[in-house]
Amino acid sequence: MISQELRNKFLDFFKKKGHVIVPSSSLLPDDPSVLLTTAGMQQFKPYYTGDADPLTSIHGTLGKPLGSKNVASIQKSFRTSDINEVGDESHLTFFEMLGNFSFGGYFKKEAIEYAYEFIVKELGLKIDYVSVFGGDRDVPEDKESAEIWKSLGIKEKDIHKAGREDNFWGPTGNQGPCGPTTEIYVKGVEIWNIVFNEHFQHSNKKLEKLSIPGVDTGMGLERLAMVVQGKSTIFETDLFASLIEKINVEDVRVGRILADHLRGAVFLIADGVRPSNVEAGYILRRLLRRAIRLAKLHKLDVKLYEMLGEEVIKFYKNYYLELAEHKKEIIEVLLLEQEKFGSALERGLKEFEKMAQHKVIGGRESFYLYQSYGFPFELLEEMAREKGVNFSKEEFEKELAKHQEISRAGVEKKFGGHGLIMDTGELKAGNEQELQKVTRLHTATHLLNQALHDILGDEIEQRGSDITPERTRFDFKFNRKVAAEELKKIEEIVNKKIKEDLPITITKMKLEDALKSGARAFFKLKYPPEVNVYSIGDYSKELCGGPHVQRTGEIGRFKITKEESSSAGVRRIRAVVEP
Ligand code: GLY
């Protein structure tokens, strides 16, 4: 059974059981405490806690309420925790996760019975054994799940008990729903994790019982395909076979790493991630640069990158339409990164070889390779390991921190020391050049905020913003998709204000006076008693820490690149500025 049949079978099965099928959310999650989407339940977090209602709250991507307390999805997921294991038989960074979820619709009995029926009856597989939560100081043993398994004919000896480490899941990010799990093993492989979200873990690790318990399950498509297709590794399944064949490298491990990393990179790029030195962009850069070095080391075809990108897109594009939609950008990003790193790589490797002769690479040396030749830290670590060279992460980090301190001081001097820059995570710039881009995007974001109010009305409310040198991302409360004509009008207004070359002025005011004057404030931030109000002509007025351009004419052309849902009732706009 090929992977597409497995996807269909899973979704059809749960549809028949009364579930609404929900599309995968983006790999870039709304939750600011997690970099990437790691699980299917992430987009449903507010439904477990009661912050959103499946029957009345508008779901972002569906554009209407979920319509059921029971849903199923195939979620694009990315986990960095296993990145160094990739290359063995079963670890991956990117994977697809099949999951069924319930927010007060059903609980243990149905969840376990559905899983049993799907695995045993639908797929004809034999369950080797299952595991259940054995209990600890805070949470009691899950006797109920064990009883349900017994009622389905699983023998007592095949019901293993384990503790927090193995049979308790979540939360994602620094807080959220979590709970005991029961896992299903087939042919010795853990294929399905069923979580009973009975608790909410607060950021101080304290557990609180959720008023309505929920179900959250996760089954990796790659592992399922492996057992269904009778293969001994995930890389022999149809999900990887054509990729591995294209790579055609003798070293099996290298072939797997390239296949995993390129596949993951393509999906990240399709969801809007671009290589950079921070956050998700850094993860993408790590994948790409590691792959570039390995390809070079094994003397692979220089066109490999492009070929693999094309292959991934070809294989997945019928199910993940975004890959077809963004094909051109995906290939461009792959090639650009190859060009950037490829040319520095050769010289950087020579420097590395020289340093490696001394069997020790110190913090200053490793930072030099990072800074001048663009080697991600983890790649240096890997290279040092291969060569048996002594290498200290701490020393590298010390050096990095020193340099960041220097550039922060430079930025503060320039912008009067009153900056949200680099400490709120709202703006991200690593050097002077990036800072200029971020500054232009920042002023453009203020214009966007006002233009959104002009066109969509005052019910919209800022929910967050995130600015990198590549783009701005603006989240706001709004209950429906923004129509294409509306986006066009918003874009036009911003460009008009840019053309007017309005001056930006700063006024220091008492917080309450500023709020009274009608300046916009972002409710999530705590403001000091005295604040800076930034006005753009008399068009926009916001409480802000800067930095901003002096006149809007410096911004360049403003372009909205994407409008999408961010979470229930919250929309997200991405935009860029061009010179
Ligand atoms: N949320 C369940 C899992 O990822 O296994």
Side-chain angles (χ1 to χ4, degrees), residues 441-477:
L441 278 163
H442 188 195
T443 311
T445 308
H446 280 217
L447 291 173
L448 170 66
N449 190 359
Q450 182 56 42
L452 283 166
H453 280 83
D454 291 356
I455 298 297
L456 304 178
D458 275 335
E459 88 222 53
I460 83 137
E461 202 175 273
Q462 177 174 359
R463 276 299 154 89
S465 79
D466 180 274
I467 303 174
T468 70
E470 289 81 29
R471 53 104 186 107
T472 175
R473 199 177 80 196
F474 188 79
D475 291 355
F476 56 99
K477 197 172 120 240

Side-chain angles (χ1 to χ4, degrees), residues 108 132-133 140-148 150 161:
K108 295 187 180 174
V132 297
F133 184 61
E141 179 182 338
D142 185 3
K143 291 187 180 154
E144 192 185 343
S145 291
E147 284 308 315
I148 299 166
K150 270 192 245 167
K161 286 179 198 165

Side-chain angles (χ1 to χ4, degrees), residues 39 41 79 97 169 193 195 216 218:
M41 63 79 71
R79 293 185 184 174
M97 185 125 81
W169 197 88
N193 185 23
V195 187
D216 152 30

